[in-house]
Amino acid sequence: MAVNALSSAIGRRELQHGLLAVVSVGSVVSLPCPASAARYLSEVNAMGKKVKALRATVRQGGAVEELRSLVQKESDSLLKKNLAVAMAAIAPGLGLPEDSKASYPAQQQRVEVLPLLLKGHLLELDQALADKKGFDPYISKTTKLSYPGGKVERELEEVEETVDEFLQLASISSASTNNLKKK
């Protein structure tokens, strides 16, 4: 592939954000450079800890409007803008095993879907925050678990679980082991 064709296939922003282009059989796939990937994985881990702390705060209760303001602020500044972006940036380069015979989604496919699921959970969190009863104690019809922090706490739990699953899958990746864990 000629350099001009390669440079036109890779956007300026991809190059500026430290993405590495890999050419294979006439196609270009963007993968994060190891240094960028390690930074993103570190960010996902740090943000996951913040989600856990935020959920614990909501679970403890307090003045509803203060909690709503805190969760909204964290959701807007941290979660929506950074978490899904960081997850989406490193997911394609993890190189997890593909298993077409498995009845469950292949690990690589799953890790690439998790940022999209996260966005869905964040939308549900927005809905719970907008609901005047979003912080009222809630018992899940599906799991039968009790949430003293209401549906807001439940949605934060779903964000937390999505991040935890992503980090667990990233930890078994050979790319993660070789490149991403260098901090």
Side-chain angles (χ1 to χ4, degrees), residues 5-28:
L6 177 60
S7 63
S8 66
I10 303 169
R12 175 183 56 82
R13 288 181 186 226
E14 291 172 310
L15 292 173
Q16 286 177 336
H17 294 329
L19 295 176
L20 172 67
V22 177
V23 181
S24 65
V25 192
S27 65
V28 176

Side-chain angles (χ1 to χ4, degrees), residues 111-175:
V111 81
E112 290 178 14
V113 166
L114 288 172
L116 298 174
L117 293 175
L118 176 69
K119 288 180 182 183
H121 294 316
L122 292 172
L123 289 172
E124 291 171 341
L125 176 60
D126 283 345
Q127 290 175 340
L129 285 169
D131 185 351
K132 291 183 181 190
K133 296 182 178 186
F135 287 92
D136 290 356
Y138 168 72
I139 297 176
S140 170
K141 294 174 186 170
T142 307
T143 65
K144 308 295 185 225
L145 295 174
S146 176
Y147 297 93
K151 290 184 179 181
V152 171
E153 179 190 351
R154 173 64 182 132
E155 296 309 325
L156 286 169
E157 179 185 62
E158 289 187 0
V159 169
E160 182 181 329
E161 289 171 350
T162 303
V163 171
D164 288 347
E165 182 180 358
F166 183 88
L167 290 170
Q168 190 275 328
L169 287 169
S171 74
I172 62 173
S173 163
S174 61

